[in-house]
Amino acid sequence: MFLSINIFASVKQDILNLYQNQKYESACNIGFSNFRNHNRDEEFLSLYAFSCLKADYIDRLALPIAKLKFSAESRANSAYFSIILMQKKLLYHALVDDYELSELNLPTTDYILSKVFEFYVNLGKHDRRTLYIFDDPDNKKVSYKLYLQKDYKTSKMVIEEYYDTMLVKRHIYW
């Protein structure tokens, strides 16, 4: 019994250390591998979900969203992750299927996907484009490009972040 408690604590501590060292992808992957053993530990679930969010593995948020429910903090985290996952799905639906989003009034977050979602919704009804460029009103040096990258199986939604004209990060979702 003591050995299994130490192993469980060790996994959570490993994820925390990786998260603190900004190794989000590794933390997310370890959390994913150990999800079954820790699916009732809300600290583990939140740490795992935030790691996946920082690594842009948004679809991995679905399981923690369903499990985070026993404390106010966990429910708040679940709602936060739900907003981002829903915005990803709706924005993808709009870009691929020409679904109209202008009538939606949803909460937003400070996450990059939420910002771009809000910029897109604020366009209102418009003709479909192959590329959207949004300037950040809070920082004139920051801009975002939104487009679909098509391959033979499925389209991927790409958000590129720019500072001045330099590409800072490319986020790819499907």
Side-chain angles (χ1 to χ4, degrees):
M1 179 78 164
F2 178 72
L3 180 60
S4 65
I5 290 172
N6 270 347
I7 291 171
F8 289 153
S10 175
V11 168
K12 190 166 33 173
Q13 186 62 49
D14 289 347
I15 294 173
L16 178 60
N17 291 341
L18 288 167
Y19 185 88
Q20 289 173 333
N21 290 310
Q22 299 179 355
K23 297 183 186 220
Y24 306 119
E25 186 174 348
S26 296
C28 177
N29 287 333
I30 290 173
F32 184 74
S33 297
N34 290 277
F35 182 84
R36 182 176 294 178
N37 296 328
H38 298 276
N39 67 14
R40 294 178 188 261
D41 181 344
E42 291 192 329
E43 287 179 356
F44 171 87
L45 294 171
S46 290
L47 186 56
Y48 160 62
F50 276 111
S51 298
C52 293
L53 183 62
K54 292 276 193 172
D56 272 339
Y57 291 169
I58 306 254
D59 289 333
R60 288 191 180 174
L61 299 177
L63 291 174
I65 286 169
K67 296 284 187 176
L68 291 168
K69 57 188 170 197
F70 294 110
S71 71
E73 181 180 359
S74 293
R75 289 186 293 276
N77 288 345
S78 179
Y80 178 76
F81 301 137
S82 296
I83 290 166
I84 294 167
L85 181 60
M86 180 177 56
Q87 288 172 332
K88 175 202 171 244
K89 297 294 186 181
L90 286 170
L91 186 55
Y92 185 83
H93 185 30
L95 293 172
V96 172
D97 304 318
D98 208 22
Y99 181 75
E100 180 60 45
L101 297 179
S102 64
E103 298 297 319
L104 296 178
N105 185 15
L106 301 174
T108 191
T109 72
D110 58 351
Y111 190 67
I112 178 75
L113 188 60
S114 285
K115 287 181 181 182
V116 172
F117 178 86
E118 188 173 334
F119 295 147
Y120 183 89
V121 169
N122 288 339
L123 288 175
K125 292 184 180 184
H126 64 278
D127 291 331
R128 180 184 260 183
R129 305 177 197 167
T130 56
L131 175 70
Y132 296 86
I133 299 174
F134 303 108
D135 294 322
D136 192 324
D138 298 328
N139 186 343
K140 299 297 180 194
K141 293 186 178 221
V142 176
S143 62
Y144 308 95
K145 286 185 182 177
L146 170 66
Y147 60 92
L148 289 175
Q149 182 178 17
K150 298 184 183 209
D151 64 20
Y152 70 100
K153 284 187 177 182
T154 185
S155 296
K156 296 175 185 165
M157 182 172 57
V158 180
I159 298 173
E160 294 179 348
E161 286 182 78
Y162 288 87
Y163 187 82
D164 280 334
T165 58
M166 301 285 293
L167 177 64
V168 176
K169 188 166 184 181
R170 179 177 287 124
H171 307 264
I172 302 174
Y173 308 104
W174 53 83

